[in-house]
Amino acid sequence: MTAGRPANYDLAGKRVWVAGHRGLVGSALVRRLASENCEILTVGRDTVDLRRQADVERWMEQAKPDAIFEAAATVGGIFTNENRPAEFLYDNLAIETNIIEAARRVGVGKLLFLGSSCIYPRLAPQPIPENALLTGPLEPTNQWYALAKIAGSMLCQAYRRQYGLDFISTMPTNLYGPGDNFELATSHVIPALMAKAHAAKAKGGAEIVVWGTGTPRREFLYVDDLADALVFLMKNYSDEEHINVGTGSEITIKELATLIARVVGADGKLRFDSKMSDGTPRKLVDSTRLLSMGWRPRTGLEQGLRQTYDWYLKSAAARS
Ligand code: GDP
């Protein structure tokens, strides 16, 4: 364990870089940080390619952030994870190593790294405690992404040990919410099923195709709740062990599809396409450590799905 660092970091008056501010998590962080008394820094990929070390060093030397939320990553759902292994491994290794090393060079005071619950072994005990990391083989459909995220988390640990830096890492469960990617080939299950249910409704009750068998179970966290947890952890957590962020509730994909169809108002039948992968059978993280610090999620799944669908309708309307 790292030696006695005070676990309260004050964001007031700080320059805070949200890396990946256009993504699902980054945009929620920008919304959440608006109510903190800090200066939010962002930079687009047109200006800085985070996979290029020289770009990242140049930006960091000029921006001089005090704190960083490292929410930039190449991400996607089960299908795109399986089909773009090189990008999922290379991009994520490059982005995280570039940001973490540049943060050391310019003297960033605190860095929070975003991992993912897919870092855990495919058949980890449920709910998954933090110490299940590296105790068994990974889920093959997302092993490339998982390996990169494991390296990023370990890098924070190594920088704490060798340089005494206050870099922490968090492992959120499956996320959803406003700002998500709704493209069917690359998206995660919630936006995919929402877009499919919406299209089925428009066709007057057409069937909704659900990938896999419908039996896997997943835990879902509303992204604005995640952003709130990340700000809480930035302020209150300082330890070398990564920390899980979840809700404690899980649902089968079949139940989820039924709920999404209800929220969208689609009454077509569900059809399960078992040629598509199920992925890991269950992925419920044990959030006891975070909950014992006093943080709680606020948004139930149905409410979060309704808010996400409202956002989708507005954004789809804006595109047309
Ligand atoms: P995962 O948690 O890494 O497996 O990520 P996903 O959100 O992509 O998938 C979660 C589960 O939902 C898997 O069992 C998928 O097979 C299932 N699923 C059902 N329909 C869909 C769909 O249309 N898109 C995606 N991405 N997953 C789906």
Side-chain angles (χ1 to χ4, degrees), residues 225-247:
D225 284 349
L226 173 74
D228 188 62
L230 298 179
V231 170
F232 177 85
L233 289 167
M234 176 68 102
K235 292 179 181 173
N236 298 299
Y237 188 75
S238 180
D239 203 332
E240 75 171 39
E241 189 170 34
H242 59 277
I243 184 162
N244 289 337
V245 186
T247 63

Side-chain angles (χ1 to χ4, degrees), residues 14-313:
K14 299 273 165 54
R15 292 166 62 75
V16 182
W17 179 27
V18 178
H21 71 286
R22 292 198 179 120
L24 175 65
V25 175
S27 54
L29 273 167
V30 170
R31 288 196 289 278
R32 174 61 185 79
L33 287 168
S35 57
E36 296 290 319
N37 184 19
C38 65
E39 184 183 348
I40 304 168
L41 309 176
T42 58
V43 63
R45 68 177 66 192
D46 34 335
T47 314
V48 173
D49 182 342
L50 296 173
R51 295 166 301 181
R52 304 206 172 271
Q53 192 173 21
D55 279 23
V56 176
E57 284 177 359
R58 201 175 316 114
W59 150 255
M60 208 94 99
E61 272 156 24
Q62 168 212 321
K64 297 211 173 6
D66 299 304
I68 301 177
F69 286 93
E70 208 293 66
T74 292
V75 298
I78 192 162
F79 182 76
T80 192
N81 257 283
E82 274 183 298
N83 289 288
R84 288 165 49 201
E87 282 168 87
F88 275 75
L89 185 53
Y90 172 77
D91 286 7
N92 289 311
L93 283 172
I95 292 168
E96 68 205 20
T97 51
N98 290 342
I99 292 179
I100 290 170
E101 169 60 9
R104 177 189 75 79
R105 286 182 182 223
V106 303
V108 166
K110 186 134 192 182
L111 179 145
L112 181 149
F113 174 74
L114 256 289
S116 157
S117 57
C118 69
I119 60 156
Y120 292 116
R122 172 182 162 79
L123 299 177
Q126 308 282 327
I128 315 172
E130 283 88 356
N131 65 12
L133 183 63
L134 296 173
T135 55
L138 296 168
E139 156 60 35
T141 53
N142 55 27
Q143 60 183 324
W144 319 96
Y145 181 77
L147 264 169
K149 289 294 180 182
I150 292 170
S153 177
M154 299 291 284
L155 206 58
C156 290
Q157 218 176 80
Y159 275 57
R160 292 182 79 89
R161 288 202 189 173
Q162 187 172 341
Y163 305 120
L165 295 171
D166 195 0
F167 292 1
I168 59 172
S169 73
T170 57
M171 296 302 155
T173 194
N174 284 36
L175 304 169
Y176 72 102
D180 212 338
N181 164 22
F182 284 77
E183 298 295 329
L184 295 184
T186 53
S187 61
H188 285 103
V189 61
I190 287 185
L193 291 181
M194 209 170 259
K196 288 181 193 176
H198 181 74
K201 180 180 158 188
K203 284 192 201 141
E207 66 178 13
I208 301 166
V209 178
V210 182
W211 291 353
T213 60
T215 57
R217 307 173 82 86
R218 293 288 184 275
E219 176 188 28
F220 294 102
L221 176 65
Y222 189 63
V223 73
D224 287 280
D225 284 349
L226 173 74
D228 188 62
L230 298 179
V231 170
F232 177 85
L233 289 167
M234 176 68 102
K235 292 179 181 173
N236 298 299
Y237 188 75
S238 180
D239 203 332
E240 75 171 39
E241 189 170 34
H242 59 277
I243 184 162
N244 289 337
V245 186
T247 63
S249 306
E250 58 179 346
I251 183 171
T252 66
I253 297 302
K254 184 178 180 187
E255 289 162 342
L256 175 73
T258 306
L259 179 58
I260 289 176
R262 181 150 57 78
V263 164
V264 168
D267 52 15
K269 273 206 194 132
L270 304 180
R271 178 163 65 82
F272 294 91
D273 177 358
S274 54
K275 287 193 297 304
M276 299 303 280
S277 305
D278 267 343
T280 192
R282 221 178 145 195
K283 201 170 18 166
L284 173 68
V285 298
D286 182 345
S287 302
T288 307
R289 287 174 68 221
L290 172 60
L291 298 177
S292 70
M293 292 171 71
W295 181 84
R296 292 284 177 281
R298 281 185 221 141
T299 316
L301 182 58
E302 181 160 352
Q303 183 195 343
L305 290 174
R306 289 192 186 284
Q307 289 168 198
T308 307
Y309 188 51
D310 284 348
W311 180 88
Y312 174 66
L313 288 178

